Coordinates of all heavy atoms in Angstrom, one line a residue:
H14 N 80.1 106.1 106.0 CA 79.8 107.4 106.6 C 81.1 108.2 106.9 O 82.1 107.6 107.1 CB 79.0 107.2 107.9 CG 79.6 106.5 109.0 ND1 80.4 107.1 110.0 CD2 79.6 105.2 109.4 CE1 80.9 106.2 110.9 NE2 80.4 105.1 110.5
M15 N 80.9 109.5 106.8 CA 82.1 110.4 106.9 C 82.4 110.8 108.3 O 83.6 111.2 108.6 CB 81.8 111.6 106.0 CG 81.6 111.4 104.6 SD 81.2 112.8 103.6 CE 79.6 113.2 104.2
D16 N 81.5 110.8 109.2 CA 81.7 111.3 110.5 C 82.4 110.3 111.4 O 82.4 109.1 111.2 CB 80.4 111.8 111.2 CG 79.4 110.6 111.4 OD1 79.3 109.8 110.5 OD2 78.8 110.6 112.5
T17 N 83.0 110.9 112.5 CA 83.6 110.0 113.5 C 82.9 110.2 114.8 O 82.2 111.2 115.0 CB 85.1 110.3 113.7 OG1 85.3 111.7 114.1 CG2 85.9 110.1 112.4
S18 N 83.1 109.3 115.7 CA 82.3 109.3 117.0 C 82.6 110.5 117.9 O 83.7 110.9 118.0 CB 82.6 108.0 117.7 OG 82.1 108.0 119.0
P19 N 81.5 111.0 118.6 CA 81.7 112.0 119.6 C 82.4 111.5 120.9 O 82.8 112.2 121.7 CB 80.3 112.5 119.9 CG 79.4 111.9 118.9 CD 80.1 110.7 118.3
D20 N 82.6 110.1 120.9 CA 83.1 109.5 122.2 C 84.5 110.0 122.5 O 85.0 110.0 123.6 CB 83.1 108.0 122.1 CG 81.7 107.4 122.1 OD1 80.8 108.2 122.4 OD2 81.6 106.2 121.9
M21 N 85.3 110.4 121.4 CA 86.7 110.9 121.7 C 87.0 111.8 120.5 O 86.5 111.7 119.4 CB 87.6 109.7 121.7 CG 89.0 110.1 122.2 SD 90.1 108.7 122.6 CE 91.4 109.6 123.5
S22 N 88.0 112.7 120.8 CA 88.4 113.7 119.9 C 88.8 113.1 118.5 O 89.5 112.1 118.5 CB 89.5 114.6 120.4 OG 90.0 115.5 119.5
G23 N 88.3 113.8 117.5 CA 88.8 113.4 116.1 C 89.6 114.6 115.5 O 89.8 114.6 114.3
R24 N 90.0 115.5 116.3 CA 90.8 116.7 115.9 C 92.3 116.4 115.9 O 92.8 115.8 116.9 CB 90.4 117.9 116.7 CG 91.1 119.2 116.3 CD 90.9 120.3 117.3 NE 89.4 120.6 117.4 CZ 88.8 121.6 116.7 NH1 89.5 122.3 115.9 NH2 87.5 121.8 116.8
D25 N 93.0 116.8 114.9 CA 94.5 116.7 114.9 C 94.9 115.2 115.0 O 95.8 114.9 115.8 CB 95.1 117.5 116.0 CG 94.9 119.0 115.8 OD1 94.9 119.4 114.6 OD2 94.8 119.8 116.7
V26 N 94.2 114.3 114.3 CA 94.6 112.9 114.3 C 95.9 112.8 113.7 O 96.2 113.3 112.6 CB 93.5 112.1 113.5 CG1 93.9 110.6 113.4 CG2 92.2 112.2 114.2
K27 N 96.8 112.1 114.4 CA 98.2 111.9 113.9 C 98.5 110.4 113.8 O 99.1 109.7 114.6 CB 99.2 112.5 114.8 CG 99.0 114.0 115.0 CD 100.0 114.6 115.9 CE 99.9 116.1 116.0 NZ 98.6 116.6 116.6
P28 N 98.0 109.7 112.7 CA 98.2 108.3 112.5 C 99.6 108.0 112.1 O 100.3 108.8 111.6 CB 97.2 108.0 111.4 CG 97.1 109.2 110.6 CD 97.2 110.3 111.6
R29 N 100.0 106.8 112.5 CA 101.4 106.3 112.0 C 101.3 104.9 111.8 O 100.4 104.2 112.3 CB 102.4 106.6 113.1 CG 102.3 105.9 114.4 CD 103.3 106.4 115.4 NE 103.1 105.8 116.7 CZ 103.7 104.7 117.2 NH1 104.6 104.1 116.4 NH2 103.5 104.3 118.4
I30 N 102.2 104.4 110.9 CA 102.2 103.0 110.5 C 103.3 102.3 111.3 O 104.5 102.8 111.3 CB 102.4 102.9 109.0 CG1 101.3 103.6 108.2 CG2 102.5 101.4 108.6 CD1 101.5 103.6 106.7
V31 N 103.0 101.2 111.9 CA 104.0 100.3 112.6 C 104.0 99.0 112.0 O 103.0 98.4 111.6 CB 103.7 100.2 114.1 CG1 103.7 101.6 114.8 CG2 102.3 99.6 114.4
A32 N 105.2 98.4 111.8 CA 105.4 97.0 111.4 C 105.2 96.2 112.7 O 106.2 96.2 113.5 CB 106.7 96.8 110.7
Y33 N 104.1 95.5 112.8 CA 103.8 94.8 114.1 C 104.5 93.5 114.2 O 104.3 92.6 113.4 CB 102.3 94.7 114.3 CG 102.0 94.1 115.6 CD1 102.4 94.8 116.8 CD2 101.2 93.0 115.8 CE1 102.1 94.3 118.1 CE2 100.8 92.5 117.0 CZ 101.3 93.2 118.2 OH 100.9 92.7 119.4
A34 N 105.4 93.4 115.2 CA 106.2 92.1 115.4 C 105.7 91.4 116.6 O 106.3 90.4 117.0 CB 107.7 92.5 115.6
G35 N 104.6 91.9 117.2 CA 104.1 91.2 118.4 C 104.4 92.1 119.7 O 105.2 93.0 119.6
G36 N 103.7 91.8 120.7 CA 103.9 92.5 122.0 C 103.2 93.8 122.0 O 102.3 94.1 121.2
D37 N 103.6 94.7 123.0 CA 103.0 96.0 123.2 C 103.4 97.0 122.1 O 104.6 97.0 121.6 CB 103.4 96.6 124.5 CG 102.8 95.8 125.7 OD1 102.0 94.9 125.4 OD2 103.2 96.0 126.8
I38 N 102.5 97.9 121.8 CA 102.8 99.1 120.9 C 102.6 100.3 121.8 O 101.5 100.6 122.3 CB 101.8 99.2 119.7 CG1 101.9 97.9 118.9 CG2 102.2 100.4 118.9 CD1 100.9 97.8 117.8
V39 N 103.7 101.1 122.0 CA 103.6 102.3 122.8 C 103.0 103.4 121.9 O 103.7 103.8 120.9 CB 105.0 102.7 123.3 CG1 104.9 104.0 124.1 CG2 105.5 101.6 124.3
L40 N 101.8 103.8 122.2 CA 101.2 104.8 121.4 C 101.6 106.2 121.8 O 101.8 107.1 121.0 CB 99.6 104.7 121.5 CG 99.0 103.4 121.1 CD1 97.5 103.4 121.3 CD2 99.3 103.1 119.6
N41 N 101.8 106.4 123.1 CA 102.2 107.7 123.6 C 103.0 107.5 124.9 O 102.4 107.2 126.0 CB 101.0 108.6 123.9 CG 101.3 110.0 124.1 OD1 102.1 110.4 125.0 ND2 100.8 110.9 123.3
E42 N 104.3 107.6 124.8 CA 105.1 107.3 125.9 C 104.9 108.3 127.1 O 104.8 107.9 128.3 CB 106.6 107.4 125.5 CG 107.6 106.9 126.6 CD 109.0 106.8 126.1 OE1 109.2 107.2 124.9 OE2 109.9 106.4 126.9
S43 N 104.7 109.6 126.8 CA 104.6 110.6 127.9 C 103.3 110.4 128.6 O 103.2 110.7 129.8 CB 104.7 112.0 127.3 OG 103.6 112.2 126.4
L44 N 102.3 109.9 128.0 CA 101.0 109.7 128.6 C 100.8 108.3 129.1 O 99.8 107.9 129.8 CB 99.8 110.0 127.7 CG 99.7 111.5 127.2 CD1 98.6 111.7 126.2 CD2 99.5 112.4 128.4
G45 N 101.8 107.4 128.8 CA 101.7 106.0 129.2 C 100.6 105.2 128.5 O 100.0 104.3 129.1
V46 N 100.3 105.6 127.3 CA 99.2 104.9 126.5 C 99.9 103.7 125.7 O 100.7 104.0 124.8 CB 98.5 105.9 125.6 CG1 97.4 105.1 124.9 CG2 97.9 107.0 126.4
V47 N 99.4 102.5 126.0 CA 100.0 101.3 125.4 C 98.9 100.5 124.8 O 97.9 100.2 125.5 CB 100.9 100.5 126.4 CG1 101.4 99.3 125.7 CG2 102.0 101.4 127.0
L48 N 99.1 100.1 123.5 CA 98.2 99.1 122.9 C 98.8 97.7 123.1 O 99.8 97.4 122.6 CB 98.0 99.4 121.4 CG 97.2 98.5 120.5 CD1 95.7 98.5 121.0 CD2 97.2 99.0 119.1
S49 N 98.1 96.9 124.0 CA 98.7 95.7 124.4 C 97.8 94.5 124.1 O 96.6 94.5 124.2 CB 99.0 95.7 125.9 OG 99.4 94.4 126.4
P50 N 98.4 93.4 123.6 CA 97.6 92.2 123.4 C 97.1 91.5 124.7 O 96.2 90.7 124.6 CB 98.6 91.2 122.7 CG 100.0 91.7 123.0 CD 99.8 93.2 123.2
D51 N 97.7 92.0 125.8 CA 97.1 91.5 127.1 C 95.7 92.0 127.3 O 94.9 91.3 127.9 CB 98.0 92.0 128.2 CG 99.4 91.3 128.2 OD1 99.5 90.3 127.6 OD2 100.3 91.9 128.8
V52 N 95.4 93.2 126.8 CA 94.1 93.8 126.9 C 93.3 93.5 125.6 O 92.1 93.3 125.6 CB 94.2 95.3 127.1 CG1 92.8 95.9 127.2 CG2 95.0 95.6 128.4
F53 N 94.0 93.5 124.5 CA 93.3 93.4 123.1 C 94.0 92.2 122.5 O 94.9 92.3 121.6 CB 93.5 94.6 122.3 CG 93.0 95.9 123.0 CD1 93.9 96.8 123.5 CD2 91.6 96.1 123.1 CE1 93.4 98.0 124.1 CE2 91.1 97.2 123.7 CZ 92.0 98.2 124.2
P54 N 93.6 90.9 122.8 CA 94.3 89.7 122.3 C 94.2 89.6 120.8 O 95.0 88.8 120.2 CB 93.6 88.6 123.0 CG 92.3 89.2 123.6 CD 92.5 90.6 123.8
E55 N 93.2 90.3 120.2 CA 93.0 90.2 118.7 C 94.3 90.7 118.0 O 94.5 90.3 116.8 CB 91.8 91.0 118.2 CG 90.5 90.5 118.8 CD 90.2 91.0 120.2 OE1 91.0 91.9 120.7 OE2 89.2 90.6 120.8
L56 N 95.1 91.5 118.7 CA 96.3 92.0 118.1 C 97.2 90.8 117.6 O 97.9 90.9 116.6 CB 97.1 92.8 119.1 CG 96.9 94.3 119.1 CD1 97.5 94.9 120.4 CD2 97.4 95.0 117.9
N57 N 97.1 89.7 118.3 CA 98.0 88.6 117.9 C 97.7 88.0 116.5 O 98.5 87.3 115.9 CB 97.8 87.4 119.0 CG 98.4 87.8 120.3 OD1 99.5 88.4 120.4 ND2 97.7 87.6 121.4
H58 N 96.5 88.3 116.0 CA 96.1 87.9 114.7 C 96.9 88.7 113.6 O 96.9 88.2 112.4 CB 94.6 88.0 114.4 CG 93.7 87.3 115.4 ND1 92.4 87.6 115.6 CD2 94.0 86.2 116.2 CE1 91.9 86.8 116.5 NE2 92.9 85.9 116.9
Y59 N 97.5 89.8 114.0 CA 98.0 90.7 113.0 C 99.6 90.8 113.1 O 100.2 91.7 112.5 CB 97.4 92.1 113.1 CG 95.9 92.0 113.0 CD1 95.1 92.1 114.1 CD2 95.3 91.8 111.7 CE1 93.7 92.0 114.0 CE2 93.9 91.7 111.6 CZ 93.1 91.8 112.7 OH 91.8 91.7 112.6

């Protein structure tokens, strides 16, 4: 399917590629948005 969810904005998506070495990934420093294995332990698989 081509559509994305209405649950959150899909406008001006700015994806980036990170080489994941473990630990937290700061998605947006100014907003304090962090992708963390403490919350999402599946990150450790990658």
Side-chain angles (χ1 to χ4, degrees):
H14 65 89
M15 300 177 289
D16 64 316
T17 62
S18 171
D20 291 350
M21 192 168 191
S22 173
R24 184 188 296 268
D25 297 325
V26 175
K27 298 180 177 64
R29 64 187 173 96
I30 300 174
V31 298
Y33 186 53
D37 292 350
I38 301 173
V39 178
L40 300 178
N41 193 303
E42 187 171 4
S43 63
L44 296 177
V46 181
V47 177
L48 179 59
S49 172
D51 294 336
V52 180
F53 304 106
E55 299 84 4
L56 271 169
N57 292 315
H58 300 160
Y59 302 105

